[in-house]
Amino acid sequence: RNRVAQEQAEAQRKAEAEEQARVQAEAAQRAQQAEQLAKQQLDALKNESTIYFDFDRATIKAEFLEVLKKHADFLIANRGQSVVIEGHTDNRGTPEYNIALGERRAKSVETYLLNAGVRGAQISVVSYGEEKPAVMGATEYAFAQNRRGVVVYQ
């Protein structure tokens, strides 16, 4: 009887160990899938990282609210992720004015994200003013492309 009891106990321990290994493997697989999903989401967000502004304005246009909501949702779900919001301007106006305007644009994006629930520790703001144009030139198209805020993931 002792031998039968020992064999049953050993079989029970083996079954428990196998079950624990299976649960751990499933957990690792779920974690890997979640990491892959987060990477896919981040890659998609990087393609929608620019918010354009009207001339001499720092108000977020309605057409960019959905884009910013996607960024906010991702940052809320991924608290370890941080971003730098870059503010840019076209080259009209003085360099000093444009640095201040770029800052206001970056801050308006930051304010949206904070109001949506993103933690302040996840966001930094920098203004480049007119120093980093996306498009060179003095056409209305070039000006419009340079009046922007950019969400840059770190």
Side-chain angles (χ1 to χ4, degrees):
R1 281 189 204 188
N2 262 351
R3 194 172 62 112
V4 171
Q6 285 177 338
E7 288 174 357
Q8 286 177 338
E10 182 60 33
Q12 179 68 27
R13 280 192 294 273
K14 184 178 178 185
E16 288 173 358
E18 288 173 355
E19 177 64 13
Q20 185 176 10
R22 185 187 65 74
V23 167
Q24 288 175 342
E26 285 179 4
Q29 185 178 16
R30 280 193 304 275
Q32 185 180 16
Q33 288 171 339
E35 188 176 312
Q36 288 173 344
L37 179 60
K39 185 183 180 325
Q40 290 170 351
Q41 290 172 332
L42 181 57
D43 289 344
L45 287 172
K46 286 179 179 179
N47 291 327
E48 292 186 286
S49 63
T50 304
I51 294 26
Y52 293 99
F53 292 88
D54 288 331
F55 175 70
D56 202 28
R57 296 282 180 261
T59 306
I60 295 170
K61 298 187 217 179
E63 66 196 86
F64 294 105
L65 295 177
E66 187 60 35
V67 170
L68 287 175
K69 182 179 181 332
K70 290 178 188 177
H71 286 284
D73 291 345
F74 180 82
L75 289 166
I76 291 166
N78 297 278
R79 296 289 190 182
Q81 182 69 61
S82 63
V83 293
V84 174
I85 311 299
E86 298 178 348
H88 299 271
T89 66
D90 60 35
N91 62 1
R92 295 176 287 183
T94 66
E96 297 81 7
Y97 183 83
N98 286 336
I99 287 290
L101 178 57
E103 177 95 4
R104 289 194 305 275
R105 288 175 175 166
K107 288 274 189 195
S108 70
V109 173
E110 177 190 39
T111 299
Y112 177 92
L113 295 174
L114 291 172
N115 288 341
V118 177
R119 294 179 312 136
Q122 291 176 268
I123 306 170
S124 300
V125 170
V126 64
S127 174
Y128 290 109
E130 62 191 65
E131 298 302 314
K132 291 188 171 187
V135 177
M136 299 300 287
T139 64
E140 189 49 46
Y141 172 79
F143 293 148
Q145 293 298 298
N146 291 329
R147 297 189 303 257
R148 68 197 191 281
V150 183
V151 180
V152 181
Y153 284 83
Q154 299 299 297

